[in-house]
Amino acid sequence: MAVDELDTRILRLLLEQPRTSVREYARILGVARGTLQARLDRLEREGVITGTGPALSPAALGHPVLAFVHIEVTQGHLDDVGDALAAVPEIVEAFSITGGGDLLTRVVARDNAHLEDVIQKLISLPGVVRTRTEVALRERVPHRLLPLVESIGRTSKG
């Protein structure tokens, strides 16, 4: 999907001021409310905007330990293991990957002992051959999309 300069400005506002009303966004951007709403609807329909809920902190929810667990799966069982991972609440993301392992999960835990319990649960899933865990020490670049949006906006002008 092509993202033009107005789309970029809209996305920037959504990222910088997520609790502002559509009417206020339209005022800030100097466009009609209907124009803005049509753009927002298109961006949602095209899958550019994928959610509007709050961003939650696992650490503030009592799960400050973050680990990335690589999971090697028995051939032919990737879907079954993926479905089983969805039932583990401490897994906040899971991806099929290339390279070392078949799946990469982002896991949160209350402490290291809890992390070990989660890993043991993963190892016991049918179809899991082995796991490899890397514990995150410190977040260096928080999840962000604004620099990407700005980069795309600069490209669309040119």
Side-chain angles (χ1 to χ4, degrees), residues 23-72:
R23 173 176 279 148
E24 182 63 12
Y25 287 143
R27 187 193 68 71
I28 292 168
L29 294 168
V31 298
R33 185 186 179 288
T35 299
L36 179 65
Q37 189 62 58
R39 291 290 185 118
L40 289 171
D41 292 345
R42 181 178 56 83
L43 290 166
E44 286 181 19
R45 193 173 51 253
E46 301 278 339
V48 174
I49 298 173
T50 60
T52 57
L56 304 177
S57 165
L61 292 170
H63 288 68
V65 176
L66 170 62
F68 299 94
V69 180
H70 299 257
I71 302 172
E72 188 177 321

Side-chain angles (χ1 to χ4, degrees), residues 124-138:
S124 71
L125 293 175
V128 172
V129 175
R130 72 179 49 87
T131 65
R132 181 173 54 86
T133 302
E134 298 164 349
V135 175
L137 300 176
R138 181 181 302 160

Side-chain angles (χ1 to χ4, degrees), residues 17-152:
Q17 302 177 35
R19 298 180 134 219
T20 302
S21 69
V22 171
R23 173 176 279 148
E24 182 63 12
Y25 287 143
R27 187 193 68 71
I28 292 168
L29 294 168
V31 298
R33 185 186 179 288
T35 299
L36 179 65
Q37 189 62 58
R39 291 290 185 118
L40 289 171
D41 292 345
R42 181 178 56 83
L43 290 166
E44 286 181 19
R45 193 173 51 253
E46 301 278 339
V48 174
I49 298 173
T50 60
T52 57
L56 304 177
S57 165
L61 292 170
H63 288 68
V65 176
L66 170 62
F68 299 94
V69 180
H70 299 257
I71 302 172
E72 188 177 321
V73 176
T74 304
Q75 228 172 4
H77 289 85
L78 191 60
D79 289 339
D80 296 334
V81 173
D83 292 344
L85 294 178
V88 180
E90 295 86 357
I91 294 179
V92 295
E93 288 183 298
F95 301 92
S96 300
I97 60 169
T98 62
D102 300 299
L103 293 162
L104 175 64
T105 63
R106 190 169 80 146
V107 177
V108 296
R110 292 184 301 274
D111 53 35
N112 287 346
H114 181 216
L115 177 60
E116 182 182 10
D117 293 343
V118 173
I119 293 167
Q120 290 303 318
K121 185 185 304 183
L122 298 179
I123 291 170
S124 71
L125 293 175
V128 172
V129 175
R130 72 179 49 87
T131 65
R132 181 173 54 86
T133 302
E134 298 164 349
V135 175
L137 300 176
R138 181 181 302 160
E139 183 177 66
R140 297 295 180 165
V141 177
H143 179 76
R144 70 212 179 116
L145 291 174
L146 186 55
L148 176 64
V149 168
E150 290 175 336
S151 170
I152 293 168

